[in-house]
Amino acid sequence: MHAIPLHLHSHWSLLDGVPSVRESVDFVQALGLPAFALTDTNALYGAVEFASRCRDAGIRPIIGAELTVAGGHSVVFLAQDREGYANLCHLVTRLQAAPDREASLARGLALSDLDGHTHGLIALSGGCAGLLDAALREGDGQRAESLVQDFTNLFGRDRFFVELQIIEAGDGAKAAVLHSLAGRMGVRTVATHDIRYLSPGDAPRYRVLAAMRQSQSLKDLPSMPDLSFPVPEDMQRRFRDFPTALDNTNLVAEMCRFDLPLGELHFPTLDLPPGRAPRDELWTLALAGAMQRYGE
């Protein structure tokens, strides 16, 4: 049984991922994997193409997103069903459509913003860029336990997973600490790799994107870890001490059975005042929104 990739970024992560959706689907199909997740940063731009291409390739798409939360850290959300997809759309819109969009994306969602919008969603703790990893880097084990409890309260023990990522030297020891923390708190772990490009040869392309994103020259960028797509044998090697976390990638994939309906048209129902024409009402609402955003 192969590990299912649950944390992959395409070029729709906008300067934070290299491959196109087509390249990603083709790559996974060549490996013979039955499913994988697309988790672009604060965006669902690729969801429709992803669902369509996976369907054509005989691969089960897992639609998700890596959302910024609590001061710039990451949490991965995966849609289990239609309600989960609707909640994911709501959370992405909350970030992207805020009047102060750039500040909103930088600070991310507060955990309170998730309340009432977690049904049908699985949450992964975010890996190396996540809240738990940040708390452990700061030596704050109590904060890490509190975060696990917060997410357990929001998602339940069945729909929150602690991500284990072994990318750089020393990550194995950190994974052991996270594995122990999850065991104490009664939640499960899952093995992921933060995939930003498909082949090691794509690393220079990602480095250029990182320089653009950070407004730095290439020569000033620090060295970067290998964020290429690990082949199944590599995942088995990396997580040989955490076989349950590998198995849980298949469990999560089985829990995500949402099939995005394509080709259906869904129009909103307008609750219009008596005698009010749709065009007039839409114009009034659009003008009110423009005034709210831009003033006189």
Side-chain angles (χ1 to χ4, degrees):
M1 184 180 292
H2 293 312
I4 302 298
L6 299 174
H7 195 149
L8 182 146
H9 294 256
S10 76
H11 62 189
W12 287 117
S13 284
L14 305 183
L15 301 183
D16 210 5
V18 171
S20 68
V21 172
R22 176 185 57 79
E23 290 169 332
S24 301
V25 172
D26 289 348
F27 193 90
V28 170
Q29 185 181 35
L31 289 174
L33 298 177
F36 78 108
L38 181 66
T39 58
D40 282 317
T41 306
N42 296 326
L44 290 165
Y45 306 128
V48 172
E49 182 188 1
F50 175 59
S52 177
R53 290 191 180 277
C54 281
R55 188 174 297 175
D56 292 342
I59 295 170
R60 177 151 41 86
I62 303 171
I63 296 177
E66 180 184 290
L67 302 188
T68 305
V69 296
H73 301 293
S74 299
V75 174
V76 171
F77 298 94
L78 306 174
Q80 291 182 272
D81 51 30
R82 195 165 189 147
E83 184 182 12
Y85 180 68
N87 279 324
L88 185 57
C89 289
H90 171 89
L91 295 174
V92 170
T93 300
R94 189 165 189 139
L95 282 169
Q96 294 281 3
D100 56 342
R101 177 178 178 273
E102 294 304 319
S104 171
L105 291 172
R107 67 175 175 266
L109 298 165
L111 294 188
S112 59
D113 293 331
L114 304 179
D115 196 18
H117 300 286
T118 64
H119 293 294
L121 286 176
I122 289 174
L124 313 183
S125 64
C128 295
L131 286 167
L132 288 183
D133 284 55
L136 291 178
R137 282 195 300 272
E138 295 164 4
D140 194 344
Q142 187 173 358
R143 168 68 173 156
E145 289 190 4
S146 177
L147 286 167
V148 172
Q149 188 61 57
D150 288 341
F151 277 97
T152 301
N153 292 340
L154 285 165
F155 291 88
R157 298 189 189 280
D158 291 338
R159 293 185 294 115
F160 173 65
F161 290 78
V162 173
E163 274 187 81
L164 305 184
Q165 291 185 343
I166 301 177
I167 300 174
E168 298 184 274
D171 283 351
K174 183 178 64 177
V177 173
L178 286 167
H179 182 76
S180 176
L181 170 65
R184 291 198 309 275
M185 301 296 291
V187 297
R188 292 173 288 199
T189 60
V190 66
T192 71
H193 190 80
D194 190 7
I195 301 168
R196 305 284 170 158
Y197 46 91
L198 300 178
S199 303
D202 292 328
R205 294 172 63 192
Y206 182 70
R207 191 172 174 83
V208 170
L209 295 180
M212 295 167 65
R213 187 176 71 253
Q214 299 173 29
S215 298
Q216 288 186 288
S217 64
L218 283 169
K219 64 181 178 62
D220 293 331
L221 277 183
S223 60
M224 293 182 172
D226 181 6
L227 300 178
S228 63
F229 195 122
V231 297
E233 294 76 17
D234 191 19
M235 287 292 285
Q236 293 286 343
R237 177 185 59 79
R238 293 180 193 225
F239 292 95
R240 60 181 176 270
D241 294 331
F242 309 100
T244 303
L246 276 176
D247 292 341
N248 283 342
T249 64
N250 291 271
L251 172 65
V252 171
E254 286 298 319
M255 294 170 69
C256 295
R257 287 285 179 174
F258 173 60
D259 188 13
L260 184 66
L262 302 177
E264 299 179 11
L265 300 179
H266 298 275
F267 297 104
T269 299
L270 298 179
D271 185 15
L272 298 176
R276 184 75 164 168
R279 180 182 178 86
D280 295 338
E281 182 67 11
L282 289 173
W283 169 255
T284 299
L285 292 171
L287 183 60
M291 289 289 290
Q292 180 184 352
R293 288 177 179 271
Y294 307 114
E296 296 291 337

